[in-house]
Amino acid sequence: MTRKLKLAVLISGRGSNLQALIDACALPDFPAAIGLVVSNEPGAAGLDRARKASLDTAVISHRAFASRAAFEQELHTRLSACGPDLICLAGFMRILGADFVRRWEGRIINIHPSLLPALKGLDTHARALEAGLQEHGCTVHYVTAELDDGPVIVQAKVPVLPEDTAESLAARVLAEEHRIYPEAIRRLAEAADIPPRTPCQ
Ligand code: GRF
């Protein structure tokens, strides 16, 4: 391994995927390290996980900005100061605009709880049950200006069982999310499939 990828992780809530990344980064042979955790929600439980792991954190509340553009400019400034190779969205509940995505092109990835391109958007587990799907899962993908639409990096499938509720299905998918998010980062690091890092874009 030459150099570890520097990650910035963006969260809004519970942070269980952040925790999976924290745990993976604690393994000596994992090819990435977390440089910054950003939350747009001051009360996000994930911030406590980050602090417990002694990670740098930033709270950028979208409510403090008059427009999405102003919020994203602040986000861009904070991220630029960190200089991440990859920005990992982990339950980050703000849609990122085309300008922001373009500035970090090829460097933003997301985890989504469905087998994309199926079930973009919210409430994927309830919708999987409503649609009578036999198979469901999760996807790590590149972020583009279209919601939940970028190229797939890794997917994992789980069965939908007859007795499933949205909660039981979510729990089965979440266990796979925690497995494939670190796996996706490992694959990208090994493929060297990331633009060279520049301090400010
Ligand atoms: C996960 O299901 C993720 O796929 C989705 O939001 C949820 C975040 O959960 N984008 P957590 O905050 O990582 O626990």
Side-chain angles (χ1 to χ4, degrees), residues 13-18 90-91 93 110-113 125 174 177-178:
R14 174 178 63 177
S16 71
N17 278 288
L18 166 65
M93 298 304 285
N110 180 44
I111 182 135
H112 181 77
H125 309 303
L174 193 63
E177 293 185 35
H178 298 163

Side-chain angles (χ1 to χ4, degrees), residues 81-146:
C82 161
D85 296 290
L86 269 182
I87 298 170
C88 304
L89 310 186
F92 183 64
M93 298 304 285
R94 306 302 298 170
I95 292 175
L96 294 169
D99 286 345
F100 182 91
V101 171
R102 198 171 307 116
R103 289 164 107 175
W104 296 94
E105 194 166 4
R107 280 185 201 284
I108 315 176
I109 64 175
N110 180 44
I111 182 135
H112 181 77
S114 79
L115 294 171
L116 291 175
L119 302 175
K120 296 177 182 180
L122 298 174
D123 299 325
T124 57
H125 309 303
R127 286 160 59 209
L129 292 176
E130 271 162 32
L133 300 183
Q134 310 252 308
E135 215 168 38
H136 185 40
C138 48
T139 304
V140 180
H141 65 98
Y142 283 104
V143 171
T144 61
E146 298 297 316

